[in-house]
Amino acid sequence: MALLSEGDFSCPVCHEIFMTPVLLSCSHSFCKECLQQFWRNKETQECPVCRRRSSRDDPPVNLVLKNLCDSFLKKRNERCSSGSEEICSLHSEKLKLFCLEDKQPVCLVCRDSQQHENHKFRPISEVVPSYKEELNTALKSLQEKLKHKENSKGKFQKTVQHIKSQADQTEHQIKQQFEKLHQFLRDEEEATITGLREEEEQKKQMMKEKLEEMNRHISALSHTIKDMKEMMKDNDVCFLKKFPVSMERVQISQPDPQMASGALIHVSRYLGNLQFRVWKKMQDIVQNTPVILDPNTANPHLVLSDDLTSVRWRENKHPLPDNPERFDDYYCVLGSEGFNSGTHCWDVEVKKNLAWRFGVTTASNQRKGWDFLNTEVWSVQYGLTKPFCFTVKQKLQRVRVYLDYNRGTVSFSDPVTNTHLHTFTTTFTDTLFPFFYSRYPLRILPLNSQ
C-alpha cells in the first residue's frame, strides 16, 4: 500500500477518491455518480476513457477497488491524526513544500521529480494561512447557509401549522354553511308538512259535518219507519185516522248530503315540483358574489370576512406564511379567480371608506415590495395620491367595475347615479385578477344587490 499514491485511487472523471466505484466491461472504473452524469450529458453509454460502448446501463460495483479505497482513506486519516502525514510516503522525507498545481504537500525529492516538472512550489508555512483564511471564509458561508436553512425550516414548520389551522377553520365554516342550508330545508319541510296537516284537518272537519248530517237523516228515517210499522198494527179506524199524516211524513223527501268538490287532499300542491320550488325559494336566502377574495394573497394587516367578500385593516400584523402569492408591503388582496376572456362585472361598497383603490392587475405583477401599484394596474382611487391611477373627487356609495377582456377595456362607474367615472383601454395578454387596496372596510356586493 505504501507504493501506491492517491492518484491510483482517483476517479478519471472527478479526480477524487472513488465513491462507490463501478467496473465497465472495458476494465475501466469510475464513481457510479460520475459515470451516470457523464452518460446523461453525452446521451450515450460509452466509457469516458476509451469510448467503448457499455452493454449494461447499471455496471456492477468494483468491490476490490472499493475496499482498497476505504483502506487508503482509513490509513490516510490515521496518518493525519498521528502526525505521520508530515513524512513523504514515497521518499520518507519531510514535507516542506506545497505544489500549487497538484494542491498537495511534497518533499524536496518530489519537487525535483518528473511528476512535478515545471510546477510551482511554496513553503507550507506560507500557504497554510491563506488556505485557512479561504477555508474560514467558506466555513462562514456554510454557517450562514445553515442558519438560513434553519430559518427556512422554521418557516416551513409554521406553514405546516398554518395549513392545519386553515383546514380546520375552513372545515368549521363549511359545516356552518351546510348547517344553514340543512336548517332551511328542515324549516321548509316542517312548513310544507304543517300545510298538509292543516288541509287534512280542514278536509276531515268538512267530512265530519257531512257525516253528522247523514246520521241525522238516517235517524229521522229510522224513526219514521218504526212509527209506520207501529201504525200498521192499529185497528182499522185508528189506522185510517193516522193515514193522511203518515203518508205526508213518508212523502217528505230530504236530499242526500252531496260530496263537496275538492274534498280530497290537494297532493300535487305539496309534491308537484317540490325540489324546484324549494330551490327557487332558497335563492332568496343564498347570495352569489361575483368576486371572492383570496386569503392567501392578503397582506397580514388585512382581515377577511368568513364569506370572503369583505376586507378591513387591523393594526396588529397577523402571523401568516410569507408565501409568494402574499402582499407584504401594500395593504392589498386579490380576487380568487383570474380572467383571461369574456366580460365580468362587480360592485364594491365604499360608503364608509375614507381612502381606497381597486381595479384589476396582471397575474405576473410583483406582489413583494413597493413596485406593485406602479405597473400593470388599471384602477381608480379616492382619498389617495398614488400615481398611475384615475382619482375620483366625489364621495361615493359604491363603485361598479366592468371588465371586457377581449376588447381590452376596464370601466368604472357609479351605479347609484348611473354615472361613468373612467375607462382604461389597452390590450390584455396576461390573466387579470381583481385587486383591492385599502385601510378601511370594503365589501363586494352580491349580484342580487346590484
Side-chain angles (χ1 to χ4, degrees):
M1 181 66 68
L3 298 178
L4 298 176
S5 66
E6 185 170 333
D8 296 312
F9 302 101
S10 299
C11 171
V13 175
C14 66
H15 304 291
E16 300 290 341
I17 301 298
F18 283 107
M19 292 290 293
T20 314
V22 293
L23 180 64
L24 296 181
S25 57
C26 59
S27 300
H28 291 119
S29 293
F30 307 91
C31 296
K32 182 177 181 179
E33 181 57 34
C34 292
L35 180 63
Q36 295 296 334
Q37 181 65 39
F38 179 82
W39 283 355
R40 283 195 293 269
N41 294 336
K42 294 286 291 184
E43 297 183 355
T44 179
Q45 294 182 180
E46 61 181 29
C47 173
V49 175
C50 66
R51 303 302 177 183
R52 180 178 173 180
R53 289 186 61 85
S54 173
S55 59
R56 299 183 57 174
D57 56 3
D58 188 18
V61 176
N62 190 338
L63 293 177
V64 174
L65 182 58
K66 182 178 184 301
N67 292 334
L68 287 173
C69 290
D70 292 343
S71 178
F72 176 80
L73 290 172
K74 182 179 179 181
K75 289 189 175 183
R76 189 176 69 175
N77 292 335
E78 289 174 352
R79 288 197 301 270
C80 285
S81 61
S82 65
S84 61
E85 190 70 11
E86 295 180 1
I87 302 299
C88 178
S89 60
L90 296 178
H91 308 107
S92 299
E93 297 286 339
K94 193 170 183 178
L95 299 173
K96 293 183 177 181
L97 301 175
F98 186 78
C99 177
L100 299 179
E101 276 74 13
D102 293 336
K103 307 294 183 185
Q104 291 292 333
V106 296
C107 67
L108 295 176
V109 179
C110 291
R111 178 192 62 183
D112 298 330
S113 66
Q114 185 177 359
Q115 182 181 355
H116 295 280
E117 187 177 0
N118 297 325
H119 287 187
K120 292 183 179 180
F121 302 89
R122 292 286 185 275
I124 288 179
S125 59
E126 290 184 9
V127 175
V128 169
S130 62
Y131 273 53
K132 283 188 175 181
E133 183 179 354
E134 182 180 347
L135 183 61
N136 190 50
T137 301
L139 180 61
K140 289 181 179 179
S141 176
L142 288 177
Q143 290 172 335
E144 289 295 325
K145 289 180 179 179
L146 176 61
K147 183 178 180 181
H148 175 72
K149 290 184 182 298
E150 288 176 343
N151 290 336
S152 297
K153 178 183 176 181
K155 292 180 180 179
F156 289 167
Q157 290 173 334
K158 289 181 179 179
T159 301
V160 171
Q161 296 173 356
H162 182 71
I163 291 172
K164 178 66 167 61
S165 176
Q166 269 189 317
D168 292 343
Q169 182 180 3
T170 303
E171 179 182 351
H172 176 69
Q173 291 175 312
I174 289 172
K175 289 182 177 179
Q176 282 186 326
Q177 294 294 327
F178 272 98
E179 177 56 30
K180 290 180 180 179
L181 296 177
H182 293 159
Q183 188 59 49
F184 170 81
L185 292 175
R186 286 193 292 268
D187 292 343
E188 283 300 303
E189 178 186 10
E190 182 179 351
T192 305
I193 292 176
T194 297
L196 171 64
R197 293 307 178 190
E198 288 176 353
E199 183 178 356
E200 178 190 15
E201 288 301 318
Q202 179 186 355
K203 297 298 175 63
K204 286 167 63 177
Q205 180 63 33
M206 181 179 67
M207 294 309 299
K208 181 180 178 181
E209 293 173 358
K210 293 290 185 182
L211 285 172
E212 290 175 351
E213 183 181 0
M214 182 66 74
N215 286 334
R216 288 194 298 271
H217 289 186
I218 292 173
S219 178
L221 287 175
S222 297
H223 282 92
T224 300
I225 293 172
K226 182 180 179 182
D227 290 344
M228 294 301 102
K229 288 182 178 180
E230 291 295 327
M231 188 185 74
M232 294 290 286
K233 297 178 182 179
D234 291 344
N235 57 45
D236 293 344
V237 175
C238 290
F239 172 80
L240 291 174
K241 287 182 177 180
K242 296 178 180 179
F243 179 77
V245 176
S246 298
M247 286 300 296
E248 185 177 344
R249 287 178 63 187
V250 171
Q251 293 174 352
I252 295 175
S253 176
Q254 293 184 342
D256 293 337
Q258 298 297 313
M259 182 71 71
S261 176
L264 301 181
I265 296 293
H266 198 338
V267 176
S268 59
R269 177 185 300 166
Y270 304 101
L271 294 182
N273 293 321
L274 175 60
Q275 295 180 2
F276 177 78
R277 288 186 288 109
V278 172
W279 172 72
K280 288 287 288 184
K281 195 170 183 179
M282 187 181 290
Q283 289 182 313
D284 296 334
I285 67 165
V286 176
Q287 294 182 336
N288 179 21
T289 306
V291 171
I292 300 297
L293 301 176
D294 182 0
N296 293 335
T297 66
N299 179 281
H301 282 283
L302 298 181
V303 180
L304 306 186
S305 61
D306 288 344
D307 62 358
L308 305 179
T309 62
S310 64
V311 57
R312 61 180 177 84
W313 179 86
R314 63 177 163 202
E315 184 175 357
N316 296 327
K317 186 177 181 180
H318 193 64
L320 295 172
D322 187 24
N323 48 301
E325 301 89 351
R326 192 177 306 281
F327 289 93
D328 56 357
D329 288 328
Y330 283 114
Y331 302 133
C332 288
V333 61
L334 297 184
S336 60
E337 181 183 0
F339 309 124
N340 52 24
S341 65
T343 60
H344 310 273
C345 180
W346 59 95
D347 285 3
V348 184
E349 187 177 67
V350 295
K351 59 184 178 181
K352 295 182 180 180
N353 198 314
L354 302 179
W356 47 262
R357 179 175 180 176
F358 51 80
V360 296
T361 185
T362 58
S364 58
N365 195 358
Q366 178 58 249
R367 302 173 195 178
K368 307 296 183 182
W370 296 101
D371 293 332
F372 169 72
L373 293 179
N374 297 334
T375 58
E376 298 182 327
V377 170
W378 299 268
S379 60
V380 295
Q381 65 183 6
Y382 172 80
L384 299 171
T385 57
K386 302 293 182 182
F388 310 104
C389 184
F390 178 78
T391 301
V392 176
K393 303 296 185 181
Q394 66 273 30
K395 179 71 174 175
L396 301 175
Q397 296 294 309
R398 61 176 66 176
V399 175
R400 176 165 295 170
V401 184
Y402 184 82
L403 167 65
D404 190 330
Y405 188 99
N406 298 337
R407 292 187 176 183
T409 61
V410 184
S411 298
F412 301 88
S413 62
D414 177 1
V416 177
T417 61
N418 197 25
T419 303
H420 174 260
L421 300 175
H422 188 74
T423 295
F424 292 95
T425 301
T426 184
T427 300
F428 299 125
T429 57
D430 197 356
T431 299
L432 300 180
F433 281 87
F435 90 91
F436 306 86
Y437 167 80
S438 180
R439 289 189 59 174
Y440 301 93
L442 283 177
R443 184 166 75 99
I444 306 164
L445 298 175
L447 289 174
N448 53 16
S449 299
Q450 296 184 5

